[in-house]
Amino acid sequence: RNATTTHNRRKRSMAMFDVVKDHLDGIGWRYEVTKERALIKSGIQGKTGSFQVIFDVKEDRDIFLVYVISRLDFPEKNRDKIALYLTYCNYALTLGNFELDMNDGEVRYKSSVTVKGSALCDQMVKEMLSISIVMMDRFFEGMVKVSYVGLDPKEAYDEYKQVLSNGGSGDHTEEEETSPAQ
């Protein structure tokens, strides 16, 4: 790898970082940038819970990720049930996935894209953010019911599917009411 390739990769990555910041500034979101300038952190209040939002720019690999993380860590005794519920949820998802840290109970929704040979644009940031927030917000209630109410993981997922069949939408493009956490 030569110096020019490394310089161009850094330049593209910095542009990705700036695209994310410009998007957030444009929609009036409050956020903080980590010292390493690799992560942008924010929060959002959804319909079903409060979530942390992390934008991760991996400059060395031309990758951009959005994580929406539950502020509620799930108890160890119920993590196997949460994992099963998330497996049901993940099966039909096309634009991201849920992840569960079995060590501490953290649940997050992840969207990612590689921009190698391309560039990150405002619309991509908007879509990835929207998808991640909507998916976490839609499936979070089931997580809580499985972990704290004792609902069977399959039943929790079937409840969600029933909402869809009664006129609810599983499509991420439907406008959802969510607002940045202040």
Side-chain angles (χ1 to χ4, degrees), residues 67-99:
Y67 295 102
V68 175
I69 303 169
S70 166
R71 295 190 188 272
L72 178 64
D73 292 335
F74 294 94
E76 187 173 1
K77 68 180 183 170
N78 297 325
R79 290 182 195 152
D80 58 338
K81 293 175 186 169
I82 294 294
L84 181 57
Y85 172 72
L86 294 178
T87 299
Y88 284 119
C89 297
N90 276 334
Y91 183 74
L93 297 178
T94 56
L95 299 172
N97 64 285
F98 284 99
E99 299 176 334

Short mmCIF file of all heavy atoms in Angstrom, two decimals, residues 67-99:
data_model
loop_
_atom_site.label_atom_id
_atom_site.label_comp_id
_atom_site.label_asym_id
_atom_site.label_seq_id
_atom_site.Cartn_x
_atom_site.Cartn_y
_atom_site.Cartn_z
N TYR A 67 -25.55 2.34 14.89
CA TYR A 67 -26.06 1.46 15.95
C TYR A 67 -27.13 2.22 16.72
O TYR A 67 -26.93 3.38 17.09
CB TYR A 67 -24.96 1.09 16.95
CG TYR A 67 -23.84 0.27 16.39
CD1 TYR A 67 -22.62 0.85 16.08
CD2 TYR A 67 -23.98 -1.11 16.20
CE1 TYR A 67 -21.57 0.09 15.59
CE2 TYR A 67 -22.94 -1.87 15.71
CZ TYR A 67 -21.73 -1.26 15.41
OH TYR A 67 -20.70 -2.00 14.92
N VAL A 68 -28.25 1.57 16.97
CA VAL A 68 -29.25 2.09 17.90
C VAL A 68 -29.29 1.09 19.04
O VAL A 68 -29.58 -0.10 18.83
CB VAL A 68 -30.63 2.27 17.24
CG1 VAL A 68 -31.67 2.70 18.27
CG2 VAL A 68 -30.54 3.31 16.12
N ILE A 69 -28.95 1.56 20.24
CA ILE A 69 -28.70 0.68 21.37
C ILE A 69 -29.74 0.91 22.47
O ILE A 69 -29.98 2.05 22.87
CB ILE A 69 -27.28 0.94 21.93
CG1 ILE A 69 -26.24 0.74 20.82
CG2 ILE A 69 -27.00 0.03 23.13
CD1 ILE A 69 -24.85 1.23 21.18
N SER A 70 -30.29 -0.18 22.94
CA SER A 70 -31.23 -0.10 24.05
C SER A 70 -30.51 0.43 25.29
O SER A 70 -29.39 0.01 25.58
CB SER A 70 -31.79 -1.49 24.36
OG SER A 70 -32.43 -1.50 25.62
N ARG A 71 -31.13 1.34 25.99
CA ARG A 71 -30.56 1.82 27.25
C ARG A 71 -30.86 0.85 28.40
O ARG A 71 -30.39 1.02 29.51
CB ARG A 71 -31.08 3.22 27.58
CG ARG A 71 -30.62 4.26 26.56
CD ARG A 71 -30.94 5.66 27.04
NE ARG A 71 -30.70 6.66 26.05
CZ ARG A 71 -29.54 7.27 25.86
NH1 ARG A 71 -28.50 6.96 26.58
NH2 ARG A 71 -29.42 8.20 24.92
N LEU A 72 -31.65 -0.18 28.09
CA LEU A 72 -32.01 -1.19 29.06
C LEU A 72 -31.20 -2.45 28.77
O LEU A 72 -31.30 -3.02 27.68
CB LEU A 72 -33.51 -1.50 28.94
CG LEU A 72 -34.11 -2.56 29.83
CD1 LEU A 72 -34.02 -2.15 31.30
CD2 LEU A 72 -35.57 -2.79 29.43
N ASP A 73 -30.37 -2.88 29.71
CA ASP A 73 -29.64 -4.14 29.56
C ASP A 73 -30.50 -5.25 30.14
O ASP A 73 -31.09 -5.10 31.22
CB ASP A 73 -28.29 -4.08 30.29
CG ASP A 73 -27.32 -3.11 29.63
OD1 ASP A 73 -27.46 -2.85 28.43
OD2 ASP A 73 -26.42 -2.63 30.33
N PHE A 74 -30.59 -6.35 29.43
CA PHE A 74 -31.48 -7.43 29.83
C PHE A 74 -30.77 -8.40 30.77
O PHE A 74 -29.60 -8.73 30.58
CB PHE A 74 -32.03 -8.12 28.59
CG PHE A 74 -32.92 -7.19 27.80
CD1 PHE A 74 -32.41 -6.44 26.75
CD2 PHE A 74 -34.24 -7.02 28.16
CE1 PHE A 74 -33.22 -5.56 26.06
CE2 PHE A 74 -35.06 -6.14 27.48
CZ PHE A 74 -34.54 -5.40 26.42
N PRO A 75 -31.49 -8.85 31.82
CA PRO A 75 -30.89 -9.73 32.83
C PRO A 75 -30.36 -11.04 32.25
O PRO A 75 -30.92 -11.58 31.30
CB PRO A 75 -32.04 -10.01 33.81
CG PRO A 75 -33.12 -9.06 33.47
CD PRO A 75 -32.91 -8.59 32.07
N GLU A 76 -29.29 -11.51 32.86
CA GLU A 76 -28.62 -12.73 32.40
C GLU A 76 -29.58 -13.92 32.32
O GLU A 76 -29.53 -14.69 31.37
CB GLU A 76 -27.45 -13.06 33.33
CG GLU A 76 -26.61 -14.20 32.84
CD GLU A 76 -25.35 -14.40 33.68
OE1 GLU A 76 -25.13 -13.66 34.65
OE2 GLU A 76 -24.59 -15.31 33.33
N LYS A 77 -30.47 -14.04 33.29
CA LYS A 77 -31.37 -15.20 33.33
C LYS A 77 -32.33 -15.24 32.13
O LYS A 77 -32.88 -16.30 31.83
CB LYS A 77 -32.16 -15.23 34.64
CG LYS A 77 -33.16 -14.11 34.78
CD LYS A 77 -33.92 -14.19 36.09
CE LYS A 77 -34.96 -13.07 36.15
NZ LYS A 77 -35.86 -13.21 37.24
N ASN A 78 -32.51 -14.12 31.43
CA ASN A 78 -33.45 -14.07 30.31
C ASN A 78 -32.78 -13.88 28.95
O ASN A 78 -33.47 -13.77 27.94
CB ASN A 78 -34.46 -12.94 30.52
CG ASN A 78 -35.31 -13.16 31.75
OD1 ASN A 78 -35.64 -14.29 32.09
ND2 ASN A 78 -35.65 -12.09 32.44
N ARG A 79 -31.47 -13.84 28.92
CA ARG A 79 -30.78 -13.55 27.66
C ARG A 79 -30.99 -14.63 26.60
O ARG A 79 -31.04 -14.31 25.41
CB ARG A 79 -29.30 -13.30 27.90
CG ARG A 79 -29.08 -11.99 28.62
CD ARG A 79 -27.64 -11.65 28.85
NE ARG A 79 -27.60 -10.58 29.84
CZ ARG A 79 -26.61 -10.36 30.67
NH1 ARG A 79 -25.53 -11.12 30.62
NH2 ARG A 79 -26.68 -9.38 31.55
N ASP A 80 -31.12 -15.87 27.00
CA ASP A 80 -31.37 -16.91 26.01
C ASP A 80 -32.72 -16.70 25.35
O ASP A 80 -32.88 -16.91 24.14
CB ASP A 80 -31.26 -18.31 26.62
CG ASP A 80 -32.21 -18.55 27.80
OD1 ASP A 80 -32.65 -17.56 28.43
OD2 ASP A 80 -32.51 -19.71 28.09
N LYS A 81 -33.70 -16.25 26.10
CA LYS A 81 -35.03 -15.97 25.54
C LYS A 81 -34.99 -14.74 24.63
O LYS A 81 -35.64 -14.72 23.58
CB LYS A 81 -36.05 -15.77 26.66
CG LYS A 81 -36.30 -17.03 27.46
CD LYS A 81 -37.22 -16.76 28.63
CE LYS A 81 -37.33 -18.01 29.48
NZ LYS A 81 -38.00 -17.73 30.75
N ILE A 82 -34.25 -13.72 25.03
CA ILE A 82 -34.09 -12.53 24.19
C ILE A 82 -33.38 -12.92 22.89
O ILE A 82 -33.78 -12.48 21.80
CB ILE A 82 -33.29 -11.42 24.93
CG1 ILE A 82 -34.08 -10.90 26.12
CG2 ILE A 82 -32.92 -10.29 23.98
CD1 ILE A 82 -35.36 -10.16 25.76
N ALA A 83 -32.36 -13.76 22.99
CA ALA A 83 -31.64 -14.21 21.79
C ALA A 83 -32.58 -14.93 20.83
O ALA A 83 -32.53 -14.72 19.61
CB ALA A 83 -30.47 -15.11 22.18
N LEU A 84 -33.46 -15.77 21.35
CA LEU A 84 -34.42 -16.48 20.51
C LEU A 84 -35.40 -15.50 19.85
O LEU A 84 -35.67 -15.57 18.65
CB LEU A 84 -35.17 -17.54 21.32
CG LEU A 84 -36.19 -18.38 20.55
CD1 LEU A 84 -35.53 -19.10 19.37
CD2 LEU A 84 -36.85 -19.37 21.50
N TYR A 85 -35.90 -14.55 20.64
CA TYR A 85 -36.81 -13.53 20.09
C TYR A 85 -36.12 -12.75 18.96
O TYR A 85 -36.70 -12.55 17.90
CB TYR A 85 -37.26 -12.59 21.21
CG TYR A 85 -38.04 -11.39 20.71
CD1 TYR A 85 -39.35 -11.54 20.23
CD2 TYR A 85 -37.50 -10.12 20.73
CE1 TYR A 85 -40.07 -10.45 19.77
CE2 TYR A 85 -38.21 -9.02 20.28
CZ TYR A 85 -39.49 -9.19 19.80
OH TYR A 85 -40.20 -8.11 19.34
N LEU A 86 -34.88 -12.35 19.19
CA LEU A 86 -34.15 -11.58 18.17
C LEU A 86 -33.86 -12.42 16.93
O LEU A 86 -33.82 -11.90 15.82
CB LEU A 86 -32.86 -11.00 18.75
CG LEU A 86 -33.07 -9.95 19.85
CD1 LEU A 86 -31.73 -9.48 20.40
CD2 LEU A 86 -33.90 -8.77 19.35
N THR A 87 -33.70 -13.73 17.10
CA THR A 87 -33.51 -14.62 15.96
C THR A 87 -34.76 -14.62 15.09
O THR A 87 -34.68 -14.52 13.85
CB THR A 87 -33.16 -16.05 16.42
OG1 THR A 87 -31.94 -15.99 17.17
CG2 THR A 87 -33.00 -16.99 15.24
N TYR A 88 -35.94 -14.70 15.72
CA TYR A 88 -37.19 -14.60 14.96
C TYR A 88 -37.25 -13.27 14.21
O TYR A 88 -37.60 -13.21 13.04
CB TYR A 88 -38.41 -14.70 15.87
CG TYR A 88 -38.72 -16.09 16.36
CD1 TYR A 88 -38.70 -16.39 17.71
CD2 TYR A 88 -39.05 -17.12 15.47
CE1 TYR A 88 -39.00 -17.66 18.18
CE2 TYR A 88 -39.35 -18.39 15.92
CZ TYR A 88 -39.32 -18.66 17.28
OH TYR A 88 -39.61 -19.92 17.73
N CYS A 89 -36.91 -12.19 14.91
CA CYS A 89 -36.97 -10.86 14.31
C CYS A 89 -35.98 -10.72 13.15
O CYS A 89 -36.33 -10.17 12.10
CB CYS A 89 -36.66 -9.79 15.36
SG CYS A 89 -37.84 -9.72 16.73
N ASN A 90 -34.77 -11.19 13.33
CA ASN A 90 -33.73 -11.03 12.33
C ASN A 90 -34.00 -11.76 11.03
O ASN A 90 -33.56 -11.34 9.97
CB ASN A 90 -32.37 -11.50 12.86
CG ASN A 90 -31.66 -10.45 13.66
OD1 ASN A 90 -31.86 -9.25 13.49
ND2 ASN A 90 -30.81 -10.90 14.57
N TYR A 91 -34.72 -12.86 11.09
CA TYR A 91 -34.87 -13.73 9.93
C TYR A 91 -35.39 -13.00 8.70
O TYR A 91 -34.90 -13.20 7.60
CB TYR A 91 -35.76 -14.93 10.26
CG TYR A 91 -35.87 -15.87 9.09
CD1 TYR A 91 -34.80 -16.70 8.76
CD2 TYR A 91 -37.00 -15.92 8.30
CE1 TYR A 91 -34.86 -17.55 7.67
CE2 TYR A 91 -37.08 -16.77 7.21
CZ TYR A 91 -36.01 -17.59 6.90
OH TYR A 91 -36.08 -18.43 5.82
N ALA A 92 -36.36 -12.13 8.86
CA ALA A 92 -36.97 -11.46 7.71
C ALA A 92 -36.38 -10.08 7.42
O ALA A 92 -36.78 -9.43 6.46
CB ALA A 92 -38.47 -11.33 7.93
N LEU A 93 -35.44 -9.63 8.22
CA LEU A 93 -34.88 -8.29 8.01
C LEU A 93 -33.90 -8.29 6.85
O LEU A 93 -33.10 -9.19 6.70
CB LEU A 93 -34.18 -7.81 9.29
CG LEU A 93 -35.07 -7.64 10.51
CD1 LEU A 93 -34.23 -7.21 11.71
CD2 LEU A 93 -36.18 -6.63 10.25
N THR A 94 -33.96 -7.23 6.03
CA THR A 94 -33.06 -7.14 4.88
C THR A 94 -32.04 -6.03 5.01
O THR A 94 -31.02 -6.05 4.34
CB THR A 94 -33.85 -6.92 3.58
OG1 THR A 94 -34.66 -5.75 3.73
CG2 THR A 94 -34.73 -8.11 3.26
N LEU A 95 -32.30 -5.04 5.85
CA LEU A 95 -31.42 -3.86 5.92
C LEU A 95 -30.88 -3.63 7.33
O LEU A 95 -31.05 -2.57 7.90
CB LEU A 95 -32.19 -2.62 5.44
CG LEU A 95 -32.68 -2.68 4.01
CD1 LEU A 95 -33.58 -1.50 3.70
CD2 LEU A 95 -31.51 -2.71 3.05
N GLY A 96 -30.24 -4.64 7.87
CA GLY A 96 -29.67 -4.52 9.20
C GLY A 96 -30.02 -5.73 10.02
O GLY A 96 -30.65 -6.68 9.54
N ASN A 97 -29.60 -5.70 11.28
CA ASN A 97 -29.87 -6.83 12.16
C ASN A 97 -29.73 -6.43 13.62
O ASN A 97 -29.09 -5.44 13.96
CB ASN A 97 -28.91 -7.99 11.87
CG ASN A 97 -27.47 -7.63 12.15
OD1 ASN A 97 -26.84 -6.91 11.39
ND2 ASN A 97 -26.95 -8.12 13.26
N PHE A 98 -30.37 -7.24 14.48
CA PHE A 98 -30.23 -7.08 15.91
C PHE A 98 -29.03 -7.89 16.39
O PHE A 98 -28.72 -8.95 15.85
CB PHE A 98 -31.48 -7.59 16.65
CG PHE A 98 -32.64 -6.66 16.56
CD1 PHE A 98 -33.65 -6.90 15.65
CD2 PHE A 98 -32.72 -5.55 17.38
CE1 PHE A 98 -34.73 -6.04 15.55
CE2 PHE A 98 -33.79 -4.69 17.28
CZ PHE A 98 -34.81 -4.93 16.37
N GLU A 99 -28.36 -7.36 17.43
CA GLU A 99 -27.25 -8.05 18.07
C GLU A 99 -27.47 -8.01 19.58
O GLU A 99 -27.96 -7.01 20.11
CB GLU A 99 -25.92 -7.37 17.74
CG GLU A 99 -25.61 -7.37 16.26
CD GLU A 99 -24.34 -6.60 15.91
OE1 GLU A 99 -23.94 -5.69 16.66
OE2 GLU A 99 -23.74 -6.91 14.87
#
